[in-house]
Amino acid sequence: MGTAVRLHLTVVAVILFAVTFASVRACPPSDLAALLAIKAALHEPHLGIFNSWTGTDCCHNWHGVSCDPETGRVADINLRGEAEDPIYEKNHRTGYMTGTISPAICRLTRLSSLTISDWKGITGEIPKCITTLPFLRIFDLIGNKISGEIPAGIGRLHRLTVLNFADNLISGPIPTSLTNLSSLMHLDLRNNKISGELPRDFGRLSMLSRALLSRNLIGGTIPSSISQIYRLADLDLSLNQISGPIPATIGKMSVLATLNLDSNKISGRIPPSLLVSGISNLNLSKNFLDGIIPDVFGPRSYFTVIDLSFNKLRGNIPKSIISASYIGHLDLSHNHLCGRIPAGSPFDHLEASSFAYNDCLCGKPLKTC
């Protein structure tokens, strides 16, 4: 083979490599069209978030867009209205965006992470077709004005690890399919208008570490299956309309550290297991709990906060409470407790407001007996 021929083949090979490499680096036309449709449905008037969304190569220098280096497909959309980014520092303001989330987002079939958060003005519903994105791991829409219901087929997103719809206007029930999300670690639905009951098989979410559902309209009872979630560390069901008793098995969850059930309609007795568990932040205030406070405190009882105020608790403050290893803040006010307040820690650093509005408590820091 002559030198000229070899040189020609080398040039052709270089050109083919360059074309191939460029085609991998630049997102395909279908992804480009989808992104431009998403941009067209949103309006951001102050920061110029979408000014960089120009040209044909959406994989480079498009604000908030990242692509898979091997396939060249769009893998991540990360648009945050509040973030540590020079664009926010330069303008001395957080983001504000209006518009809706276009169903065109469902054409990004290799999408792994979708974050459109804290824009305060985005409205409309979550596109139902979002449940057809098989690689989606992170779905974060916190801090907008999104309404409508959670898509019924949300449980098809088997790779999902983070689901965050907090601080929106989402209504309707929690879809029963949600408990199919076997990889879900973080569930945040706080401050919406979600109604109905928690799925009875909530315990199927075996990888869940945080379940935050406060400030909704959720009713029914607490599913006992929650105690099967071994990794659950933070459970917040406060400010809902939940009724019935607290399952005693919740106090036997080895990882649970925070249990917020305040401002509901929960009734019955306080399970003794809650007071000798690994829970360090326990808030059961503003419910209809009755009976006595279980006299079971001991060295395993370590509380940064324990709030039992605004219930219907009766009897004495249990003497065993002084054997707790630590109690930082204790609130027993607005109950029907009676008798002498035990002396010593933690009562030597608590104020009278922690015991106010009971039937006949006495002793320091209240009046002498």
Side-chain angles (χ1 to χ4, degrees), residues 12-24:
V12 170
V14 169
I15 292 172
L16 287 173
F17 175 79
V19 170
T20 303
F21 184 70
S23 65
V24 169

Short mmCIF file of all heavy atoms in Angstrom, two decimals, residues 12-24:
data_model
loop_
_atom_site.label_atom_id
_atom_site.label_comp_id
_atom_site.label_asym_id
_atom_site.label_seq_id
_atom_site.Cartn_x
_atom_site.Cartn_y
_atom_site.Cartn_z
N VAL A 12 -9.16 9.92 6.56
CA VAL A 12 -10.55 9.49 6.62
C VAL A 12 -10.91 8.97 8.01
O VAL A 12 -11.96 9.28 8.56
CB VAL A 12 -10.82 8.41 5.55
CG1 VAL A 12 -12.19 7.79 5.76
CG2 VAL A 12 -10.71 9.01 4.16
N ALA A 13 -9.97 8.17 8.59
CA ALA A 13 -10.21 7.62 9.92
C ALA A 13 -10.34 8.72 10.96
O ALA A 13 -11.20 8.68 11.85
CB ALA A 13 -9.09 6.66 10.31
N VAL A 14 -9.45 9.73 10.85
CA VAL A 14 -9.50 10.84 11.80
C VAL A 14 -10.82 11.60 11.69
O VAL A 14 -11.45 11.96 12.68
CB VAL A 14 -8.31 11.79 11.59
CG1 VAL A 14 -8.50 13.09 12.38
CG2 VAL A 14 -7.01 11.12 11.99
N ILE A 15 -11.26 11.81 10.42
CA ILE A 15 -12.52 12.52 10.19
C ILE A 15 -13.69 11.74 10.75
O ILE A 15 -14.57 12.29 11.43
CB ILE A 15 -12.73 12.80 8.68
CG1 ILE A 15 -11.68 13.81 8.19
CG2 ILE A 15 -14.13 13.30 8.41
CD1 ILE A 15 -11.68 13.99 6.69
N LEU A 16 -13.70 10.41 10.50
CA LEU A 16 -14.78 9.57 11.01
C LEU A 16 -14.80 9.57 12.53
O LEU A 16 -15.86 9.64 13.16
CB LEU A 16 -14.63 8.14 10.50
CG LEU A 16 -14.97 7.92 9.02
CD1 LEU A 16 -14.62 6.50 8.60
CD2 LEU A 16 -16.45 8.19 8.77
N PHE A 17 -13.61 9.51 13.14
CA PHE A 17 -13.53 9.54 14.61
C PHE A 17 -14.06 10.86 15.16
O PHE A 17 -14.82 10.89 16.13
CB PHE A 17 -12.08 9.33 15.07
CG PHE A 17 -11.89 9.45 16.55
CD1 PHE A 17 -12.23 8.41 17.41
CD2 PHE A 17 -11.40 10.63 17.11
CE1 PHE A 17 -12.07 8.53 18.77
CE2 PHE A 17 -11.25 10.75 18.47
CZ PHE A 17 -11.58 9.69 19.31
N ALA A 18 -13.66 11.96 14.48
CA ALA A 18 -14.11 13.28 14.93
C ALA A 18 -15.61 13.42 14.83
O ALA A 18 -16.27 13.95 15.72
CB ALA A 18 -13.41 14.37 14.11
N VAL A 19 -16.17 12.92 13.71
CA VAL A 19 -17.62 12.99 13.54
C VAL A 19 -18.33 12.15 14.58
O VAL A 19 -19.32 12.57 15.19
CB VAL A 19 -18.01 12.53 12.11
CG1 VAL A 19 -19.51 12.38 12.00
CG2 VAL A 19 -17.49 13.53 11.09
N THR A 20 -17.81 10.93 14.80
CA THR A 20 -18.41 10.04 15.79
C THR A 20 -18.33 10.63 17.18
O THR A 20 -19.29 10.64 17.95
CB THR A 20 -17.72 8.65 15.77
OG1 THR A 20 -17.82 8.12 14.46
CG2 THR A 20 -18.37 7.72 16.78
N PHE A 21 -17.14 11.16 17.51
CA PHE A 21 -16.94 11.75 18.84
C PHE A 21 -17.86 12.94 19.06
O PHE A 21 -18.48 13.09 20.11
CB PHE A 21 -15.47 12.17 19.00
CG PHE A 21 -15.13 12.70 20.36
CD1 PHE A 21 -15.10 11.87 21.46
CD2 PHE A 21 -14.84 14.05 20.54
CE1 PHE A 21 -14.79 12.36 22.72
CE2 PHE A 21 -14.53 14.55 21.79
CZ PHE A 21 -14.50 13.69 22.88
N ALA A 22 -17.97 13.76 18.02
CA ALA A 22 -18.84 14.93 18.12
C ALA A 22 -20.30 14.52 18.30
O ALA A 22 -21.05 15.13 19.06
CB ALA A 22 -18.70 15.81 16.89
N SER A 23 -20.70 13.44 17.60
CA SER A 23 -22.09 13.00 17.68
C SER A 23 -22.41 12.45 19.05
O SER A 23 -23.54 12.53 19.53
CB SER A 23 -22.39 11.95 16.61
OG SER A 23 -21.65 10.77 16.85
N VAL A 24 -21.38 11.85 19.73
CA VAL A 24 -21.59 11.33 21.08
C VAL A 24 -21.67 12.48 22.07
O VAL A 24 -22.46 12.49 22.99
CB VAL A 24 -20.47 10.34 21.46
CG1 VAL A 24 -20.53 10.00 22.94
CG2 VAL A 24 -20.58 9.09 20.62
#
